[in-house]
Amino acid sequence: MAYKDEQLSEEKVFKDPVHRYIHVKDQVIWDLIGTREFQRLRRIKQLGTSFLTFHGAEHSRFNHSLGVYEIVRRILFNFENRPNWNNDERLLCLCAALLHDLGHGPFSHSFEKVFKLDHEDFTKKIVLGDTEINKILQRVGKGFAEDVADVINKTYENKLVVSLISSQIDADRMDYLQRDAYFTGVSYGHFDMERILRVMRPTEDQVVIKQTGMHAVEDYIMSRYQMYWQVYFHPVTRSAEVILSKILHRAKYLYEQNYQFKQKPTHFLSFFAENVDLEEYLRLDESIVLYYFQAWLEEDDTVLRDLCERFINRRLFKYIEFNPNQQMTEWMELYKLFQAIDIDPEYYLVVDSSSDLPYDFYRPGEEEERLPIHLLQPKNDELKELSRQSDIVEAISGKKRTDHKLYFPLDVLEQLPADRPEKMRIFEILFG
Amino acid sequence: MLENHARIMKFFSTADEVVGRKKLQKMIYILKKCDIPFEEKYEFHFYGPYSEELTLRVEELCNLGFISEVKEDKSNYYQYRYRVTEQGEEFLNHSKVELPPLESMINNMKEKSSRFLELVSTMLYFDDLSKQEVEEKVQTVKKTQNYQETEIAEAWEFIDKLRRQSTH
């Protein structure tokens, strides 16, 4: 029997708090899960710094990747024998679902910004490079690894396959919304996934939803909206993210100044030089990063030491709402006042905007801007865009809610002498 | 503060007016591929490279009153027009962000259709491949757009022209 068709003699199951069980029968999937590149995802948290806000949010990208695989497996079970679906694509979809987040690094978002990296490039490198993953995919067949990379990169010829893993209603989002809700403990993020899976239909180039499933999709859209503001963009998490990002900036800056670290940052050197190869990338996970943050508590550089102390011991920056249009001159004054009291504003006075953590709210958009969710009409098989059918979706998708906050170390400011004029003026600007 | 916002504002200010969100998405991507330092992250979507980060940043600029957005109903879809406001110009006056000269590149792109810019940005997305592989890839991922050989040839010329402009 060809490797691609090999089945395990007995089905394996993973207990999962979101989907109850994750079922594996394909030998290829079982082998991929066992690779060192996939096992590494156990050491990358799904929600980065959110554990400092929601103490339960310690789940990993390993959990999520298995969850996405399971959802796609269930979708494909429902697609069998339906028009437009070719079951020869089944294994490709399952592999792409399982491996879609393979290239995520530690605290992905901040790392990518500071060191100018792209986790999608690394996913491609892991799938196509000299890795255990690639060896397995090569065994499946000629060109199979390239096809998996194309599906994940959204450049695969069959857009229906791509849309299962990545579209406005895909397995990736359906897993992370429920999983993140479960582990953070919030009551948002829940929707009737079983219903959505039952009303999904394959068309030539995308997955669409039967009109009768509209209310289940409305719930899903509301979940996305609420999870963003309540969890993903939580101001305390953003504060931790600001500090994390400033630690990385400071360490890079010190390296560029030939600063002599007491603990040589061996694992970071290629990141500082912005020349990271695959092996170096795979070696750095969150346990290593946190080890360095601990080690840097002993450094002579006061900024690096202080920022690491804040991150490790959760002494985060405080924040106020900030309007860059109305408060432009106040910001410039604050910048000078911080300099006057020897607090470097580059590290300790930070404006954070909603676009610093992009999140895809559902937007119908313009024609051909991006593909919306389409509802399949019962009588004539016509497709209608979701927000034109649903008042609820129209109401939230038309709303542009954006946000800017100013972060600063209130504890340091409070320690300044009460009669210091700069302190009085800073407090006046910040708190009125 | 808000350096990435300021770069996008410089683009709008130079362009005077941008019509269409799809066009805006592709123009910034093409400039980025010509080494103009925009930092918005792009991914490949159904209609070519697309940046959620850019969408959100433009929404922020509209909410802050730095850019005006006019929505026009085109019967089966909406179209959006963008211009810098007076407050936006004031914000730019305070900003220290510098960009290389963009005017001729932007003017060249404004003259083109969004369909053509979709083709150009898709070709640039695959710029790590050989010329022949890029063309094959375009025919694969853009099957429904049915791009003709003459359009692809025109797109190569356009890319060369833009790259020459970006290095001057």
Side-chain angles (χ1 to χ4, degrees), chain B residues 89-130:
Chain B
E89 291 293 353
E90 204 183 314
F91 167 74
L92 268 182
N93 291 338
H94 283 107
S95 166
K96 290 175 192 156
V97 164
E98 295 289 340
L99 285 181
L102 297 176
E103 197 168 357
S104 54
M105 295 165 84
I106 289 175
N107 287 339
N108 281 329
M109 287 191 284
K110 276 175 74 177
E111 286 170 12
K112 300 292 181 186
S113 67
S114 61
R115 172 187 156 89
F116 182 77
L117 295 181
E118 179 181 338
L119 171 63
V120 171
S121 58
T122 301
M123 288 163 73
L124 287 169
Y125 189 83
F126 296 111
D127 63 359
D128 57 331
L129 303 178
S130 71

Short mmCIF file of all heavy atoms in Angstrom, two decimals, chain B residues 89-130:
data_model
loop_
_atom_site.label_atom_id
_atom_site.label_comp_id
_atom_site.label_asym_id
_atom_site.label_seq_id
_atom_site.Cartn_x
_atom_site.Cartn_y
_atom_site.Cartn_z
N GLU B 89 -2.62 67.02 7.38
CA GLU B 89 -1.43 67.77 6.92
C GLU B 89 -0.66 68.31 8.13
O GLU B 89 0.57 68.31 8.15
CB GLU B 89 -1.83 68.92 5.99
CG GLU B 89 -2.38 68.48 4.63
CD GLU B 89 -1.34 67.81 3.73
OE1 GLU B 89 -0.14 67.78 4.08
OE2 GLU B 89 -1.75 67.25 2.69
N GLU B 90 -1.41 68.76 9.15
CA GLU B 90 -0.76 69.28 10.36
C GLU B 90 0.03 68.18 11.07
O GLU B 90 1.16 68.39 11.52
CB GLU B 90 -1.84 69.84 11.29
CG GLU B 90 -1.31 70.88 12.25
CD GLU B 90 -2.42 71.33 13.19
OE1 GLU B 90 -3.53 71.60 12.70
OE2 GLU B 90 -2.14 71.40 14.40
N PHE B 91 -0.59 66.99 11.14
CA PHE B 91 0.10 65.84 11.73
C PHE B 91 1.40 65.56 10.98
O PHE B 91 2.46 65.34 11.58
CB PHE B 91 -0.84 64.62 11.69
CG PHE B 91 -0.16 63.29 11.99
CD1 PHE B 91 0.21 62.95 13.28
CD2 PHE B 91 0.09 62.37 10.97
CE1 PHE B 91 0.83 61.73 13.56
CE2 PHE B 91 0.71 61.15 11.24
CZ PHE B 91 1.07 60.84 12.54
N LEU B 92 1.32 65.60 9.66
CA LEU B 92 2.51 65.34 8.85
C LEU B 92 3.60 66.39 9.09
O LEU B 92 4.79 66.08 9.07
CB LEU B 92 2.15 65.33 7.36
CG LEU B 92 1.77 63.97 6.77
CD1 LEU B 92 1.48 64.10 5.29
CD2 LEU B 92 2.89 62.96 6.99
N ASN B 93 3.17 67.63 9.32
CA ASN B 93 4.16 68.69 9.58
C ASN B 93 4.95 68.42 10.86
O ASN B 93 6.10 68.82 10.98
CB ASN B 93 3.46 70.06 9.69
CG ASN B 93 2.93 70.50 8.34
OD1 ASN B 93 3.40 70.03 7.31
ND2 ASN B 93 1.93 71.38 8.35
N HIS B 94 4.31 67.75 11.82
CA HIS B 94 4.99 67.43 13.07
C HIS B 94 5.88 66.19 12.95
O HIS B 94 6.75 65.95 13.77
CB HIS B 94 3.98 67.16 14.20
CG HIS B 94 3.37 68.41 14.74
ND1 HIS B 94 2.07 68.75 14.46
CD2 HIS B 94 3.88 69.39 15.50
CE1 HIS B 94 1.80 69.90 15.06
NE2 HIS B 94 2.88 70.31 15.71
N SER B 95 5.61 65.40 11.93
CA SER B 95 6.30 64.10 11.84
C SER B 95 7.71 64.25 11.27
O SER B 95 7.96 65.07 10.39
CB SER B 95 5.47 63.17 10.95
OG SER B 95 6.24 62.06 10.59
N LYS B 96 8.61 63.41 11.78
CA LYS B 96 9.99 63.44 11.28
C LYS B 96 10.23 62.34 10.24
O LYS B 96 11.34 62.17 9.76
CB LYS B 96 10.96 63.24 12.45
CG LYS B 96 11.00 64.41 13.40
CD LYS B 96 11.88 64.08 14.61
CE LYS B 96 11.69 65.13 15.69
NZ LYS B 96 12.02 64.62 17.01
N VAL B 97 9.18 61.61 9.91
CA VAL B 97 9.35 60.48 8.99
C VAL B 97 9.66 60.97 7.57
O VAL B 97 9.04 61.90 7.07
CB VAL B 97 8.06 59.61 8.98
CG1 VAL B 97 8.03 58.69 7.77
CG2 VAL B 97 7.99 58.81 10.26
N GLU B 98 10.66 60.36 6.96
CA GLU B 98 11.05 60.70 5.59
C GLU B 98 10.84 59.50 4.69
O GLU B 98 11.07 58.36 5.10
CB GLU B 98 12.54 61.09 5.54
CG GLU B 98 12.91 62.36 6.29
CD GLU B 98 12.40 63.62 5.62
OE1 GLU B 98 12.09 63.56 4.42
OE2 GLU B 98 12.29 64.66 6.31
N LEU B 99 10.41 59.74 3.46
CA LEU B 99 10.33 58.67 2.47
C LEU B 99 11.03 59.13 1.20
O LEU B 99 11.10 60.34 0.93
CB LEU B 99 8.86 58.36 2.13
CG LEU B 99 8.02 57.58 3.14
CD1 LEU B 99 6.61 57.37 2.58
CD2 LEU B 99 8.63 56.23 3.47
N PRO B 100 11.55 58.21 0.40
CA PRO B 100 12.13 58.62 -0.89
C PRO B 100 11.04 59.25 -1.78
O PRO B 100 9.85 59.06 -1.49
CB PRO B 100 12.62 57.30 -1.50
CG PRO B 100 12.54 56.29 -0.42
CD PRO B 100 11.60 56.77 0.61
N PRO B 101 11.42 59.96 -2.85
CA PRO B 101 10.39 60.56 -3.71
C PRO B 101 9.45 59.49 -4.29
O PRO B 101 9.91 58.48 -4.79
CB PRO B 101 11.21 61.21 -4.85
CG PRO B 101 12.60 61.25 -4.37
CD PRO B 101 12.77 60.22 -3.33
N LEU B 102 8.14 59.74 -4.15
CA LEU B 102 7.16 58.73 -4.56
C LEU B 102 6.28 59.18 -5.71
O LEU B 102 5.57 58.38 -6.30
CB LEU B 102 6.22 58.42 -3.38
CG LEU B 102 6.77 57.84 -2.10
CD1 LEU B 102 5.65 57.72 -1.07
CD2 LEU B 102 7.35 56.48 -2.38
N GLU B 103 6.34 60.48 -6.01
CA GLU B 103 5.30 61.07 -6.86
C GLU B 103 5.14 60.37 -8.21
O GLU B 103 4.04 60.00 -8.60
CB GLU B 103 5.59 62.56 -7.05
CG GLU B 103 4.36 63.29 -7.54
CD GLU B 103 4.51 64.79 -7.46
OE1 GLU B 103 5.56 65.27 -6.98
OE2 GLU B 103 3.58 65.48 -7.90
N SER B 104 6.27 60.19 -8.92
CA SER B 104 6.13 59.62 -10.27
C SER B 104 5.64 58.17 -10.20
O SER B 104 4.84 57.74 -11.04
CB SER B 104 7.44 59.73 -11.04
OG SER B 104 8.48 59.16 -10.30
N MET B 105 6.12 57.42 -9.21
CA MET B 105 5.66 56.03 -9.09
C MET B 105 4.16 55.99 -8.80
O MET B 105 3.42 55.19 -9.38
CB MET B 105 6.42 55.32 -7.96
CG MET B 105 7.90 55.17 -8.24
SD MET B 105 8.81 54.75 -6.75
CE MET B 105 8.59 53.03 -6.70
N ILE B 106 3.73 56.85 -7.88
CA ILE B 106 2.30 56.87 -7.53
C ILE B 106 1.46 57.28 -8.73
O ILE B 106 0.44 56.66 -9.04
CB ILE B 106 2.06 57.80 -6.32
CG1 ILE B 106 2.64 57.18 -5.06
CG2 ILE B 106 0.57 58.08 -6.14
CD1 ILE B 106 2.55 58.05 -3.83
N ASN B 107 1.91 58.31 -9.45
CA ASN B 107 1.14 58.75 -10.61
C ASN B 107 1.02 57.65 -11.66
O ASN B 107 -0.03 57.46 -12.26
CB ASN B 107 1.78 60.00 -11.23
CG ASN B 107 1.53 61.22 -10.35
OD1 ASN B 107 0.61 61.22 -9.53
ND2 ASN B 107 2.36 62.23 -10.48
N ASN B 108 2.11 56.93 -11.86
CA ASN B 108 2.06 55.82 -12.81
C ASN B 108 1.05 54.77 -12.39
O ASN B 108 0.32 54.23 -13.22
CB ASN B 108 3.44 55.15 -12.92
CG ASN B 108 4.37 55.95 -13.80
OD1 ASN B 108 3.93 56.60 -14.73
ND2 ASN B 108 5.65 55.91 -13.50
N MET B 109 1.00 54.48 -11.10
CA MET B 109 0.07 53.45 -10.63
C MET B 109 -1.37 53.93 -10.66
O MET B 109 -2.28 53.15 -10.95
CB MET B 109 0.46 53.00 -9.21
CG MET B 109 1.71 52.15 -9.19
SD MET B 109 2.00 51.36 -7.61
CE MET B 109 2.61 52.72 -6.65
N LYS B 110 -1.57 55.21 -10.36
CA LYS B 110 -2.95 55.74 -10.36
C LYS B 110 -3.60 55.63 -11.73
O LYS B 110 -4.81 55.46 -11.84
CB LYS B 110 -2.94 57.21 -9.91
CG LYS B 110 -2.95 57.38 -8.40
CD LYS B 110 -2.81 58.81 -7.99
CE LYS B 110 -4.05 59.65 -8.20
NZ LYS B 110 -3.89 61.02 -7.73
N GLU B 111 -2.77 55.71 -12.76
CA GLU B 111 -3.31 55.63 -14.13
C GLU B 111 -3.80 54.22 -14.48
O GLU B 111 -4.54 54.04 -15.43
CB GLU B 111 -2.22 56.00 -15.15
CG GLU B 111 -1.92 57.48 -15.21
CD GLU B 111 -0.66 57.74 -16.04
OE1 GLU B 111 -0.19 56.82 -16.73
OE2 GLU B 111 -0.17 58.88 -15.96
N LYS B 112 -3.34 53.23 -13.73
CA LYS B 112 -3.65 51.84 -14.08
C LYS B 112 -4.91 51.35 -13.37
O LYS B 112 -5.28 51.86 -12.31
CB LYS B 112 -2.47 50.94 -13.69
CG LYS B 112 -1.16 51.30 -14.37
CD LYS B 112 -1.23 51.02 -15.86
CE LYS B 112 0.08 51.36 -16.56
NZ LYS B 112 -0.02 51.23 -18.02
N SER B 113 -5.52 50.32 -13.94
CA SER B 113 -6.73 49.75 -13.32
C SER B 113 -6.33 48.87 -12.13
O SER B 113 -5.19 48.42 -12.03
CB SER B 113 -7.46 48.88 -14.35
OG SER B 113 -6.66 47.76 -14.66
N SER B 114 -7.31 48.62 -11.25
CA SER B 114 -7.01 47.76 -10.10
C SER B 114 -6.74 46.33 -10.58
O SER B 114 -5.95 45.60 -9.98
CB SER B 114 -8.13 47.80 -9.07
OG SER B 114 -9.31 47.34 -9.63
N ARG B 115 -7.34 45.92 -11.68
CA ARG B 115 -7.08 44.58 -12.24
C ARG B 115 -5.61 44.46 -12.64
O ARG B 115 -4.96 43.46 -12.35
CB ARG B 115 -7.98 44.37 -13.47
CG ARG B 115 -7.67 43.11 -14.25
CD ARG B 115 -8.49 43.05 -15.56
NE ARG B 115 -7.82 42.21 -16.54
CZ ARG B 115 -8.01 40.89 -16.64
NH1 ARG B 115 -8.83 40.28 -15.82
NH2 ARG B 115 -7.38 40.18 -17.56
N PHE B 116 -5.10 45.52 -13.27
CA PHE B 116 -3.69 45.50 -13.70
C PHE B 116 -2.77 45.50 -12.48
O PHE B 116 -1.78 44.76 -12.42
CB PHE B 116 -3.40 46.70 -14.60
CG PHE B 116 -2.00 46.73 -15.13
CD1 PHE B 116 -1.61 45.90 -16.17
CD2 PHE B 116 -1.05 47.59 -14.58
CE1 PHE B 116 -0.30 45.92 -16.66
CE2 PHE B 116 0.26 47.61 -15.05
CZ PHE B 116 0.63 46.78 -16.10
N LEU B 117 -3.11 46.32 -11.47
CA LEU B 117 -2.26 46.37 -10.27
C LEU B 117 -2.31 45.04 -9.50
O LEU B 117 -1.35 44.65 -8.85
CB LEU B 117 -2.68 47.54 -9.37
CG LEU B 117 -2.47 48.93 -9.97
CD1 LEU B 117 -2.91 50.00 -8.98
CD2 LEU B 117 -1.02 49.17 -10.39
N GLU B 118 -3.45 44.35 -9.60
CA GLU B 118 -3.55 43.02 -8.99
C GLU B 118 -2.55 42.07 -9.66
O GLU B 118 -1.86 41.28 -9.00
CB GLU B 118 -4.98 42.49 -9.13
CG GLU B 118 -5.17 41.10 -8.54
CD GLU B 118 -6.60 40.56 -8.71
OE1 GLU B 118 -7.52 41.37 -8.90
OE2 GLU B 118 -6.77 39.34 -8.67
N LEU B 119 -2.46 42.18 -10.99
CA LEU B 119 -1.51 41.35 -11.73
C LEU B 119 -0.07 41.68 -11.33
O LEU B 119 0.72 40.79 -11.02
CB LEU B 119 -1.72 41.57 -13.24
CG LEU B 119 -0.67 40.94 -14.16
CD1 LEU B 119 -0.68 39.41 -14.05
CD2 LEU B 119 -0.93 41.34 -15.62
N VAL B 120 0.24 42.98 -11.32
CA VAL B 120 1.61 43.41 -10.99
C VAL B 120 1.99 42.96 -9.58
O VAL B 120 3.07 42.40 -9.35
CB VAL B 120 1.75 44.95 -11.13
CG1 VAL B 120 3.08 45.43 -10.58
CG2 VAL B 120 1.60 45.36 -12.59
N SER B 121 1.09 43.17 -8.62
CA SER B 121 1.43 42.82 -7.23
C SER B 121 1.56 41.30 -7.08
O SER B 121 2.39 40.81 -6.32
CB SER B 121 0.40 43.39 -6.25
OG SER B 121 -0.88 42.93 -6.57
N THR B 122 0.75 40.54 -7.83
CA THR B 122 0.87 39.08 -7.77
C THR B 122 2.21 38.63 -8.34
O THR B 122 2.88 37.76 -7.78
CB THR B 122 -0.29 38.42 -8.55
OG1 THR B 122 -1.51 38.85 -7.96
CG2 THR B 122 -0.22 36.91 -8.49
N MET B 123 2.63 39.25 -9.43
CA MET B 123 3.93 38.90 -10.02
C MET B 123 5.05 39.24 -9.03
O MET B 123 6.01 38.47 -8.88
CB MET B 123 4.12 39.64 -11.35
CG MET B 123 3.23 39.06 -12.45
SD MET B 123 3.02 40.11 -13.89
CE MET B 123 4.61 39.98 -14.67
N LEU B 124 4.93 40.37 -8.38
CA LEU B 124 5.97 40.76 -7.42
C LEU B 124 5.99 39.84 -6.20
O LEU B 124 7.03 39.62 -5.58
CB LEU B 124 5.76 42.21 -6.96
CG LEU B 124 6.11 43.27 -8.01
CD1 LEU B 124 5.62 44.65 -7.56
CD2 LEU B 124 7.61 43.31 -8.27
N TYR B 125 4.82 39.29 -5.86
CA TYR B 125 4.74 38.37 -4.72
C TYR B 125 5.62 37.15 -4.95
O TYR B 125 6.18 36.58 -4.02
CB TYR B 125 3.29 37.95 -4.49
CG TYR B 125 3.08 37.17 -3.22
CD1 TYR B 125 2.92 37.83 -2.01
CD2 TYR B 125 3.07 35.78 -3.22
CE1 TYR B 125 2.75 37.12 -0.83
CE2 TYR B 125 2.89 35.06 -2.05
CZ TYR B 125 2.73 35.74 -0.86
OH TYR B 125 2.55 35.04 0.31
N PHE B 126 5.74 36.76 -6.22
CA PHE B 126 6.53 35.56 -6.56
C PHE B 126 7.91 35.94 -7.09
O PHE B 126 8.48 35.21 -7.90
CB PHE B 126 5.78 34.72 -7.59
CG PHE B 126 4.47 34.18 -7.07
CD1 PHE B 126 3.26 34.64 -7.55
CD2 PHE B 126 4.48 33.19 -6.10
CE1 PHE B 126 2.06 34.14 -7.07
CE2 PHE B 126 3.28 32.68 -5.61
CZ PHE B 126 2.08 33.16 -6.09
N ASP B 127 8.44 37.07 -6.65
CA ASP B 127 9.69 37.54 -7.28
C ASP B 127 10.93 36.73 -6.89
O ASP B 127 12.03 37.01 -7.36
CB ASP B 127 9.92 39.05 -7.04
CG ASP B 127 10.09 39.38 -5.58
OD1 ASP B 127 10.03 38.46 -4.73
OD2 ASP B 127 10.28 40.58 -5.27
N ASP B 128 10.75 35.70 -6.07
CA ASP B 128 11.89 34.81 -5.81
C ASP B 128 11.96 33.70 -6.86
O ASP B 128 12.88 32.88 -6.85
CB ASP B 128 11.79 34.20 -4.40
CG ASP B 128 10.49 33.46 -4.16
OD1 ASP B 128 9.47 33.82 -4.78
OD2 ASP B 128 10.49 32.49 -3.37
N LEU B 129 10.99 33.66 -7.77
CA LEU B 129 10.97 32.63 -8.82
C LEU B 129 11.54 33.21 -10.12
O LEU B 129 11.67 34.42 -10.27
CB LEU B 129 9.54 32.16 -9.07
CG LEU B 129 8.77 31.59 -7.87
CD1 LEU B 129 7.35 31.22 -8.29
CD2 LEU B 129 9.48 30.37 -7.30
N SER B 130 11.81 32.31 -11.08
CA SER B 130 12.28 32.78 -12.39
C SER B 130 11.10 33.42 -13.13
O SER B 130 9.94 33.20 -12.77
CB SER B 130 12.82 31.61 -13.20
OG SER B 130 11.74 30.79 -13.61
#
